[in-house]
Amino acid sequence: MNKRNRLEYLILLSNKIEGFFSMKCVIPAAGLGTRFLPITKAQPKEMLPVYDRPTIQFVIEEAVASGIDDVLIVTSKDKRSIEDHFDRSCELEKNLEEHGKFDLLKTVEEMSDLADIFYIRQKKQKGLGDAIYCAKKHVGDEPFVVMLGDIVTKSDVPCTKQLIDLSKRYNSSVIAVEKVPDEKVERYGIIDGTMVSDDIYKVNALVEKPKISEKPSNLAIMGRYVLYPELFDYIEDTEPGAGGEIQLTDAMAKLSSVYASVFNGRSYDIGNKIDWLKTSLEFALTDMEHKDEILDYIHELIK
Ligand code: UTP
């Protein structure tokens, strides 16, 4: 081994010891999307556009910006368009090149080079916990990231990067949470936690979709997680819970240590029609080229 190779080897080794290896990421995207029917009958919810990009592209861009280069997407029947979106399209690329559309060519090429993307199918939609269990072999024995395929986030430091850093600091599973109003607690997994420092809680209990009268807090799990691999054993032992589904929250409640971090940024849940529409509009208004035209149109509609 020459001097340079030896140095690289030592850096690699020390990174591994300190746990700086890039984490793998799992994106569950196999759900039926029933709240979006009829759009989602043959079209994946995760492929619905938020202004100019499919939702799941924002999710993968956040993963890449967080230092992740290995992404496993859990898909199902009728979700082939997700794979096609991140694949090369030689015919399209040749056409763009021949017509001198080099900007578009760059966009299309970059999309297929974002990360190493792998796919596995969830055969039956038995719930989020079951979807994550499909990733067991791919993930192996290391902590891993989970990013819901229908949640988009905006922040200076990417939400997932914030969680990875915290997970390393606490040597623990970590989840992102957000304060929700009372009328929304029945829609989310809610934590019961003890504050350990600014906006960080040690989680004592987790409840999926509690009744308002039984809510332990207003801090809702918002779709970004760093999880330790023992979770897979707990999913195996988890019976169907809320909605008859194998809930990730129920399995996470058995983890020996979970911290929750109040997300310093904004999240967008595109899992229902109204929030999806609002998100698309908000993102469109950040496009300076078309902002005025869109605002004029909104004013016209209001009139
Ligand atoms: P949701 O509960 O929001 O998605 O799950 P859903 O089941 O598709 O939606 P509705 O309630 O029927 O409208 C959050 C994420 O988990 C995935 C979904 O694809 C979504 O990205 N998921 C959910 C799975 O991969 N498998 C499942 O069995 C359930």
Side-chain angles (χ1 to χ4, degrees):
M1 198 184 283
N2 67 32
K3 220 173 173 186
R4 183 156 173 259
N5 282 350
R6 195 175 143 68
L7 190 67
E8 278 171 6
Y9 173 76
L10 287 175
I11 292 170
L12 215 69
L13 196 70
S14 70
N15 280 350
K16 189 157 176 64
I17 291 165
E18 287 175 37
F20 277 100
F21 257 48
S22 156
M23 285 186 192
K24 290 182 178 172
C25 163
V26 180
I27 303 181
L32 294 172
T34 52
R35 283 168 294 163
F36 249 116
L37 284 169
I39 312 177
T40 43
K41 181 157 179 277
Q43 153 92 341
K45 171 172 70 171
E46 297 77 11
M47 282 299 287
L48 293 179
V50 172
Y51 185 45
D52 61 355
R53 265 171 280 177
T55 306
I56 195 162
Q57 189 177 327
F58 286 98
V59 179
I60 293 189
E61 284 169 357
E62 180 189 326
V64 172
S66 303
I68 290 167
D69 61 4
D70 182 308
V71 175
L72 177 73
I73 305 182
V74 184
T75 65
S76 56
K77 200 175 136 305
D78 300 324
K79 301 254 183 177
R80 278 297 299 271
S81 59
I82 298 180
E83 293 179 45
D84 292 341
H85 183 73
F86 295 107
D87 200 357
R88 294 288 300 268
S89 173
C90 297
E91 218 174 305
L92 175 65
E93 287 170 27
K94 193 162 164 262
N95 179 290
L96 294 172
E97 196 171 0
E98 279 169 5
H99 290 86
K101 297 179 178 170
F102 296 109
D103 279 358
L104 285 176
L105 178 65
K106 193 166 167 260
T107 309
V108 167
E109 281 176 344
E110 276 171 3
M111 233 149 54
S112 49
D113 284 340
L114 271 173
D116 289 334
I117 304 180
F118 303 87
Y119 299 91
I120 190 159
R121 279 196 176 193
Q122 184 188 22
K123 306 282 182 317
K124 205 171 166 211
Q125 281 68 29
K126 290 194 275 182
L128 183 55
D130 181 68
I132 302 301
Y133 191 75
C134 297
K136 183 177 188 241
K137 263 196 195 154
H138 185 89
V139 163
D141 287 333
E142 304 283 338
F144 63 104
V145 166
V146 171
M147 305 171 79
L148 296 195
D150 57 354
I151 304 281
V152 174
T153 69
K154 249 190 199 175
S155 52
D156 293 338
V157 178
C159 180
T160 297
K161 170 93 174 63
Q162 294 179 26
L163 293 187
I164 292 173
D165 291 346
L166 268 182
S167 167
K168 284 172 182 166
R169 184 172 350 139
Y170 286 99
N171 285 319
S172 166
S173 296
V174 175
I175 56 178
V177 291
E178 265 181 344
K179 223 170 215 149
V180 294
D182 277 353
E183 64 275 15
K184 284 194 178 173
V185 292
E186 292 186 17
R187 289 196 212 165
Y188 296 98
I190 303 289
I191 70 151
D192 171 12
T194 310
M195 195 187 257
V196 290
S197 72
D198 274 356
D199 285 339
I200 307 219
Y201 293 80
K202 175 101 178 73
V203 175
N204 307 316
L206 295 149
V207 198
E208 185 62 34
K209 301 185 175 68
K211 294 197 180 89
I212 298 184
S213 55
E214 289 161 16
K215 66 172 176 115
S217 75
N218 284 61
L219 292 173
I221 304 171
M222 50 147 283
R224 297 291 185 264
Y225 318 69
V226 174
L227 298 168
Y228 270 49
E230 71 253 32
L231 176 87
F232 292 116
D233 296 335
Y234 298 134
I235 297 178
E236 272 173 28
D237 294 339
T238 300
E239 295 295 325
E245 297 191 338
I246 298 175
Q247 296 290 351
L248 177 62
T249 312
D250 295 343
M252 278 186 342
K254 300 172 194 162
L255 284 168
S256 54
S257 165
V258 181
Y259 285 81
S261 163
V262 180
F263 175 42
N264 181 10
R266 222 177 131 205
S267 78
Y268 303 84
D269 180 354
I270 67 99
N272 66 80
K273 294 171 201 178
I274 297 303
D275 287 330
W276 165 69
L277 201 60
K278 285 183 187 169
T279 307
S280 216
L281 190 59
E282 189 176 321
F283 278 51
L285 288 172
T286 62
D287 178 350
M288 289 308 146
E289 199 186 331
H290 299 293
K291 183 180 173 183
D292 290 341
E293 190 184 338
I294 298 166
L295 281 175
D296 286 348
Y297 180 64
I298 295 171
H299 288 137
E300 215 174 283
L301 282 180
I302 295 168
K303 264 191 245 158

